[in-house]
PDB file of all heavy atoms in Angstrom:
ATOM      1  N   GLY A  32      -3.347  -9.811  17.376  1.00 69.00           N
ATOM      2  CA  GLY A  32      -2.723  -9.070  16.254  1.00 69.00           C
ATOM      3  C   GLY A  32      -2.022  -7.862  16.820  1.00 69.00           C
ATOM      4  O   GLY A  32      -2.508  -7.249  17.904  1.00 69.00           O
ATOM      5  N   ASP A  33      -0.953  -7.401  16.168  1.00 72.00           N
ATOM      6  CA  ASP A  33      -0.194  -6.308  16.702  1.00 72.00           C
ATOM      7  C   ASP A  33      -0.333  -5.162  15.658  1.00 72.00           C
ATOM      8  O   ASP A  33       0.054  -5.310  14.540  1.00 72.00           O
ATOM      9  CB  ASP A  33       1.330  -6.795  16.886  1.00 72.00           C
ATOM     10  CG  ASP A  33       2.198  -5.717  17.351  1.00 72.00           C
ATOM     11  OD1 ASP A  33       1.625  -4.572  17.535  1.00 72.00           O
ATOM     12  OD2 ASP A  33       3.316  -5.950  17.611  1.00 72.00           O
ATOM     13  N   ARG A  42       6.857  -5.940   4.778  1.00 62.00           N
ATOM     14  CA  ARG A  42       7.250  -7.048   5.526  1.00 62.00           C
ATOM     15  C   ARG A  42       8.884  -7.031   5.849  1.00 62.00           C
ATOM     16  O   ARG A  42       9.280  -7.515   6.801  1.00 62.00           O
ATOM     17  CB  ARG A  42       7.069  -8.331   4.881  1.00 62.00           C
ATOM     18  CG  ARG A  42       5.585  -8.756   4.974  1.00 62.00           C
ATOM     19  CD  ARG A  42       5.258  -9.899   4.138  1.00 62.00           C
ATOM     20  NE  ARG A  42       3.865 -10.148   3.918  1.00 62.00           N
ATOM     21  CZ  ARG A  42       3.410 -10.887   3.060  1.00 62.00           C
ATOM     22  NH1 ARG A  42       4.129 -11.454   2.112  1.00 62.00           N
ATOM     23  NH2 ARG A  42       2.140 -11.144   3.054  1.00 62.00           N
ATOM     24  N   ASP A  43       9.543  -6.416   4.897  1.00 61.00           N
ATOM     25  CA  ASP A  43      11.032  -6.389   5.181  1.00 61.00           C
ATOM     26  C   ASP A  43      11.433  -5.386   6.177  1.00 61.00           C
ATOM     27  O   ASP A  43      12.681  -5.220   6.562  1.00 61.00           O
ATOM     28  CB  ASP A  43      11.777  -6.257   3.791  1.00 61.00           C
ATOM     29  CG  ASP A  43      11.373  -4.955   3.095  1.00 61.00           C
ATOM     30  OD1 ASP A  43      10.414  -4.335   3.502  1.00 61.00           O
ATOM     31  OD2 ASP A  43      12.011  -4.663   2.196  1.00 61.00           O
ATOM     32  N   PHE A  83      -4.761   5.374  12.193  1.00 82.00           N
ATOM     33  CA  PHE A  83      -3.400   4.770  12.002  1.00 82.00           C
ATOM     34  C   PHE A  83      -3.361   4.494  10.455  1.00 82.00           C
ATOM     35  O   PHE A  83      -2.300   4.646   9.868  1.00 82.00           O
ATOM     36  CB  PHE A  83      -3.223   3.501  12.704  1.00 82.00           C
ATOM     37  CG  PHE A  83      -3.166   3.621  14.210  1.00 82.00           C
ATOM     38  CD1 PHE A  83      -3.153   2.490  15.001  1.00 82.00           C
ATOM     39  CD2 PHE A  83      -2.969   4.847  14.839  1.00 82.00           C
ATOM     40  CE1 PHE A  83      -2.992   2.585  16.349  1.00 82.00           C
ATOM     41  CE2 PHE A  83      -2.877   4.971  16.204  1.00 82.00           C
ATOM     42  CZ  PHE A  83      -2.890   3.814  16.918  1.00 82.00           C
ATOM     43  N   GLN A  84      -4.427   3.986   9.912  1.00 82.00           N
ATOM     44  CA  GLN A  84      -4.391   3.422   8.582  1.00 82.00           C
ATOM     45  C   GLN A  84      -4.399   4.547   7.520  1.00 82.00           C
ATOM     46  O   GLN A  84      -3.679   4.558   6.607  1.00 82.00           O
ATOM     47  CB  GLN A  84      -5.531   2.533   8.310  1.00 82.00           C
ATOM     48  CG  GLN A  84      -5.571   1.830   7.086  1.00 82.00           C
ATOM     49  CD  GLN A  84      -6.700   0.905   6.888  1.00 82.00           C
ATOM     50  OE1 GLN A  84      -7.621   0.818   7.729  1.00 82.00           O
ATOM     51  NE2 GLN A  84      -6.931   0.335   5.735  1.00 82.00           N
ATOM     52  N   ARG A  96     -18.601   8.703   5.875  1.00 89.00           N
ATOM     53  CA  ARG A  96     -19.232   7.426   5.603  1.00 89.00           C
ATOM     54  C   ARG A  96     -20.636   7.277   6.353  1.00 89.00           C
ATOM     55  O   ARG A  96     -21.366   6.375   6.004  1.00 89.00           O
ATOM     56  CB  ARG A  96     -18.348   6.241   6.086  1.00 89.00           C
ATOM     57  CG  ARG A  96     -17.131   6.038   5.130  1.00 89.00           C
ATOM     58  CD  ARG A  96     -16.072   5.262   5.810  1.00 89.00           C
ATOM     59  NE  ARG A  96     -14.988   5.076   4.802  1.00 89.00           N
ATOM     60  CZ  ARG A  96     -14.097   6.078   4.585  1.00 89.00           C
ATOM     61  NH1 ARG A  96     -14.209   7.190   5.057  1.00 89.00           N
ATOM     62  NH2 ARG A  96     -13.043   5.795   3.744  1.00 89.00           N
ATOM     63  N   SER A 263     -19.405   1.967   0.787  1.00 85.00           N
ATOM     64  CA  SER A 263     -18.420   2.424   1.854  1.00 85.00           C
ATOM     65  C   SER A 263     -19.174   3.158   2.947  1.00 85.00           C
ATOM     66  O   SER A 263     -19.535   4.313   2.889  1.00 85.00           O
ATOM     67  CB  SER A 263     -17.558   3.457   1.290  1.00 85.00           C
ATOM     68  OG  SER A 263     -16.628   2.840   0.470  1.00 85.00           O
ATOM     69  N   ASN A 274      -9.524  -5.070  11.194  1.00 78.00           N
ATOM     70  CA  ASN A 274      -8.470  -5.913  10.528  1.00 78.00           C
ATOM     71  C   ASN A 274      -7.081  -5.290  10.663  1.00 78.00           C
ATOM     72  O   ASN A 274      -6.090  -5.888  10.575  1.00 78.00           O
ATOM     73  CB  ASN A 274      -8.879  -6.265   9.079  1.00 78.00           C
ATOM     74  CG  ASN A 274      -9.853  -7.466   9.107  1.00 78.00           C
ATOM     75  OD1 ASN A 274      -9.769  -8.396   9.990  1.00 78.00           O
ATOM     76  ND2 ASN A 274     -10.778  -7.445   8.153  1.00 78.00           N
TER      77      ASN A 274
ATOM     78  N   THR B   2      11.941  -3.209  -0.666  1.00 41.00           N
ATOM     79  CA  THR B   2      12.077  -4.246  -1.605  1.00 41.00           C
ATOM     80  C   THR B   2      10.821  -5.165  -1.638  1.00 41.00           C
ATOM     81  O   THR B   2      10.500  -5.732  -2.691  1.00 41.00           O
ATOM     82  CB  THR B   2      13.308  -5.139  -1.320  1.00 41.00           C
ATOM     83  OG1 THR B   2      13.209  -5.428  -0.003  1.00 41.00           O
ATOM     84  CG2 THR B   2      14.587  -4.491  -1.786  1.00 41.00           C
ATOM     85  N   ASP B   6       0.974  -7.661   1.616  1.00 36.00           N
ATOM     86  CA  ASP B   6      -0.403  -7.505   0.979  1.00 36.00           C
ATOM     87  C   ASP B   6      -1.411  -7.455   1.966  1.00 36.00           C
ATOM     88  O   ASP B   6      -2.391  -8.266   1.837  1.00 36.00           O
ATOM     89  CB  ASP B   6      -0.621  -8.508  -0.114  1.00 36.00           C
ATOM     90  CG  ASP B   6      -0.654  -9.958   0.555  1.00 36.00           C
ATOM     91  OD1 ASP B   6      -0.119  -9.982   1.689  1.00 36.00           O
ATOM     92  OD2 ASP B   6      -1.213 -10.757  -0.029  1.00 36.00           O
ATOM     93  N   ARG B   8      -3.978  -5.759   2.469  1.00 32.00           N
ATOM     94  CA  ARG B   8      -5.277  -5.476   2.124  1.00 32.00           C
ATOM     95  C   ARG B   8      -5.973  -6.685   1.552  1.00 32.00           C
ATOM     96  O   ARG B   8      -7.133  -6.808   1.527  1.00 32.00           O
ATOM     97  CB  ARG B   8      -5.313  -4.469   0.976  1.00 32.00           C
ATOM     98  CG  ARG B   8      -4.372  -3.363   1.221  1.00 32.00           C
ATOM     99  CD  ARG B   8      -4.679  -2.472   2.424  1.00 32.00           C
ATOM    100  NE  ARG B   8      -6.023  -2.228   2.525  1.00 32.00           N
ATOM    101  CZ  ARG B   8      -6.625  -1.673   3.544  1.00 32.00           C
ATOM    102  NH1 ARG B   8      -5.979  -1.269   4.489  1.00 32.00           N
ATOM    103  NH2 ARG B   8      -7.919  -1.562   3.588  1.00 32.00           N
ATOM    104  N   ALA B  11      -8.530  -8.456   3.704  1.00 32.00           N
ATOM    105  CA  ALA B  11      -9.199  -7.635   4.627  1.00 32.00           C
ATOM    106  C   ALA B  11     -10.738  -7.978   4.988  1.00 32.00           C
ATOM    107  O   ALA B  11     -11.171  -7.655   6.011  1.00 32.00           O
ATOM    108  CB  ALA B  11      -9.157  -6.129   4.175  1.00 32.00           C
ATOM    109  N   GLU B  68     -10.149   1.185  -0.766  1.00 89.00           N
ATOM    110  CA  GLU B  68      -9.880   2.658  -0.771  1.00 89.00           C
ATOM    111  C   GLU B  68      -8.467   2.757  -0.420  1.00 89.00           C
ATOM    112  O   GLU B  68      -7.948   2.090   0.573  1.00 89.00           O
ATOM    113  CB  GLU B  68     -10.716   3.267   0.197  1.00 89.00           C
ATOM    114  CG  GLU B  68     -10.458   4.874   0.183  1.00 89.00           C
ATOM    115  CD  GLU B  68     -11.634   5.652   0.974  1.00 89.00           C
ATOM    116  OE1 GLU B  68     -12.532   5.077   1.640  1.00 89.00           O
ATOM    117  OE2 GLU B  68     -11.645   6.910   0.713  1.00 89.00           O
ATOM    118  N   GLN B  77       2.388   6.021   3.756  1.00 80.00           N
ATOM    119  CA  GLN B  77       1.451   4.674   3.693  1.00 80.00           C
ATOM    120  C   GLN B  77       1.381   4.250   2.192  1.00 80.00           C
ATOM    121  O   GLN B  77       0.701   4.787   1.411  1.00 80.00           O
ATOM    122  CB  GLN B  77      -0.042   5.024   4.130  1.00 80.00           C
ATOM    123  CG  GLN B  77      -0.297   5.551   5.494  1.00 80.00           C
ATOM    124  CD  GLN B  77      -0.370   4.496   6.479  1.00 80.00           C
ATOM    125  OE1 GLN B  77       0.521   3.646   6.611  1.00 80.00           O
ATOM    126  NE2 GLN B  77      -1.508   4.399   7.215  1.00 80.00           N
ATOM    127  N   GLY B 228     -14.424   7.747   1.236  1.00 86.00           N
ATOM    128  CA  GLY B 228     -15.476   6.666   1.396  1.00 86.00           C
ATOM    129  C   GLY B 228     -16.350   6.518   0.157  1.00 86.00           C
ATOM    130  O   GLY B 228     -17.235   5.753   0.088  1.00 86.00           O
ATOM    131  N   GLU B 432       1.073 -11.276  11.347  1.00 83.00           N
ATOM    132  CA  GLU B 432       2.030 -11.395  12.408  1.00 83.00           C
ATOM    133  C   GLU B 432       3.112 -12.515  12.227  1.00 83.00           C
ATOM    134  O   GLU B 432       4.223 -12.416  12.725  1.00 83.00           O
ATOM    135  CB  GLU B 432       1.271 -11.554  13.718  1.00 83.00           C
ATOM    136  CG  GLU B 432       1.272 -10.389  14.633  1.00 83.00           C
ATOM    137  CD  GLU B 432       0.505 -10.601  15.836  1.00 83.00           C
ATOM    138  OE1 GLU B 432       0.953 -11.089  16.730  1.00 83.00           O
ATOM    139  OE2 GLU B 432      -0.633 -10.079  15.730  1.00 83.00           O
ATOM    140  N   ASP B 449       2.765 -15.540   0.622  1.00 92.00           N
ATOM    141  CA  ASP B 449       2.930 -15.068  -0.695  1.00 92.00           C
ATOM    142  C   ASP B 449       3.948 -13.857  -0.552  1.00 92.00           C
ATOM    143  O   ASP B 449       4.100 -13.392   0.624  1.00 92.00           O
ATOM    144  CB  ASP B 449       1.664 -14.579  -1.275  1.00 92.00           C
ATOM    145  CG  ASP B 449       1.019 -13.527  -0.365  1.00 92.00           C
ATOM    146  OD1 ASP B 449       0.443 -13.859   0.758  1.00 92.00           O
ATOM    147  OD2 ASP B 449       1.136 -12.354  -0.671  1.00 92.00           O
TER     148      ASP B 449
END
Side-chain angles (χ1 to χ4, degrees):
Chain A
D33 182 354
R42 285 172 189 162
D43 58 348
F83 290 174
Q84 187 183 356
R96 286 160 181 76
S263 289
N274 276 330
Chain B
T2 47
D6 61 338
R8 317 297 316 175
E68 180 167 11
Q77 299 276 57
E432 247 176 86
D449 60 283

